Amino acid sequence: MDAAPDPISEATAVASRFIEVFNARDMQANRDVLNYPSVMLVAGQFMTWDRPEDYSIPWDRLTESQGWHHSTMDSIDVVQAGDDKVHLAVTFSRYHEDGVKYATHHGLWVITCVDGHWGIQCRSNFRPRRCTGAAFQDAPRHAPSGC
């Protein structure tokens, strides 16, 4: 008999995978790493996606407005864990093509197991206080801050 999956290992793998598929600009894989409904809270605004087909990421706008090239997951810390839900404190950064880091975000992500699928169900991210470049400061507030 197989051992039950370890919730902490599952949750941290999901968070790492999110960054990987975000950088790959793979929409289907980004949708697959979430559980639905999926909720994000950034700058006092909630965004909710009820179904995978509702979720989209405007990578071109992110690149044009911020000069985004890729993101890194800097840290993942477990805050609380249960059998089917894990709260993670995450820190991730955004980089320009030349490798210069221009923003670091801190967030609390809730990873859940729904019908045997581990995925991100809720993200609450803080907007960075200091960023380089006016492009980031002028970025639309509704632009996804997932990475």
Side-chain angles (χ1 to χ4, degrees), residues 28-132:
Q28 188 57 51
N30 273 270
R31 290 174 174 157
D32 291 346
V33 80
L34 303 177
N35 276 337
Y36 298 89
S38 185
V39 178
M40 188 164 68
L41 172 62
V42 177
Q45 295 185 352
F46 280 99
M47 291 169 274
T48 303
W49 300 275
D50 292 321
R51 305 166 305 164
E53 55 270 22
D54 297 334
Y55 184 71
S56 65
I57 302 167
W59 283 289
D60 291 341
R61 188 173 68 210
L62 187 61
T63 299
E64 290 169 13
S65 67
Q66 298 180 18
W68 175 82
H69 180 264
H70 70 279
S71 299
T72 59
M73 181 64 75
D74 303 330
S75 67
I76 303 173
D77 297 305
V78 177
V79 176
Q80 293 177 303
D83 292 339
D84 62 356
K85 179 172 62 172
V86 178
H87 296 178
L88 300 176
V90 300
T91 302
F92 57 92
S93 296
R94 291 181 176 173
Y95 292 81
H96 296 298
E97 188 172 7
D98 62 6
V100 172
K101 182 192 314 186
Y102 69 91
T104 297
H105 297 257
H106 302 278
L108 179 67
W109 292 5
V110 179
I111 315 296
T112 59
C113 185
V114 176
D115 296 329
H117 176 264
W118 284 94
I120 302 168
Q121 188 118 41
C122 179
R123 291 172 284 161
S124 176
N125 298 322
F126 288 96
R127 291 177 62 88
R129 292 180 186 198
R130 292 185 182 161
C131 304
T132 60

